[in-house]
Every structure is written in C-alpha cells, then in structure tokens.
C-alpha cells in the first residue's frame, strides 16, 4: 500500500540534469517553427516520449534515429551532439 503524503512533507527533489546540446538545438528549432516538441515529433514520425527521455538523458537515441533527425533538420541538430 502506498503511503500518502501529508501537507507538511515536501516532495522529493531530483537533481537537475543538463540537456544534451542536440535537444537544446531541437527545442530552438521548434520554437522558430512555432511547434512544440510533441508536434514536431509527430510530424516526422518520432515518438515524443522518446524525445523527452533523450532530452533528460534517461536514454540516448539509436544512431539511426540521431542521423534521421540530423537529416530532417538539415544538419542543425547533429547526431554527435546527443552525448
């Protein structure tokens, strides 16, 4: 059974994670195009949940996906910058 939090307890804080350069570039590109990451991902046949995980460094994209994003963005989001 899950323990319920009372008002006095503070929620756990998680350490902030720096975003990969590629993700930051992708967010900037989306803002310029007037799109959200979710809409951009759907437009290009990608899963926005996966992009979110890549952006938070929980996972890395496979090489094929990173290269695909590089092609779609005309090299603005480089495949090597997901590290």
């Amino acid at each position: 059974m899950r323990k319920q939090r009372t008002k006095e307890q503070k929620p756990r804080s998680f350490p902030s994670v720096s975003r990969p350069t590629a993700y930051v570039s992708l967010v900037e590109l989306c803002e310029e195009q007037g799109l959200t990451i979710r809409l951009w991902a759907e437009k290009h046949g990608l899963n926005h949940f996966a992009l979110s995980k890549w952006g938070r460094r929980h996972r890395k994209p496979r090489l094929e996906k990173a290269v695909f994003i590089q092609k779609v963005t005309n090299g603005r989001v480089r495949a090597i910058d997901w590290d």
Side-chain angles (χ1 to χ4, degrees):
M1 186 174 209
R2 210 171 181 181
K3 201 175 188 183
Q4 289 188 346
R5 189 173 8 142
T6 62
K7 289 185 179 183
E8 295 83 34
Q9 293 175 321
K10 293 183 180 180
R12 288 186 290 167
S13 62
F14 296 97
S16 62
V17 177
S18 65
R19 305 279 185 177
T21 306
Y23 187 80
V24 173
S25 299
L26 185 58
V27 169
E28 290 171 357
L29 179 71
C30 289
E31 287 174 355
E32 289 173 11
Q33 294 178 356
L35 298 171
T36 62
I37 288 286
R38 183 180 191 148
L39 289 175
W40 187 91
E42 289 174 4
K43 179 180 175 183
H44 297 289
L46 297 169
N47 185 325
H48 71 278
F49 288 113
L51 279 173
S52 177
K53 288 180 182 180
W54 301 341
R56 289 178 284 148
R57 295 186 188 265
H58 288 218
R59 296 194 180 257
K60 287 184 184 179
R62 291 186 176 161
L63 181 60
E64 300 85 29
K65 295 288 184 182
V67 170
F68 173 77
I69 292 171
Q70 183 172 316
K71 283 183 182 180
V72 170
T73 62
N74 294 321
R76 181 155 174 197
V77 179
R78 299 180 333 156
I80 198 168
D81 290 339
W82 286 103
D83 288 332

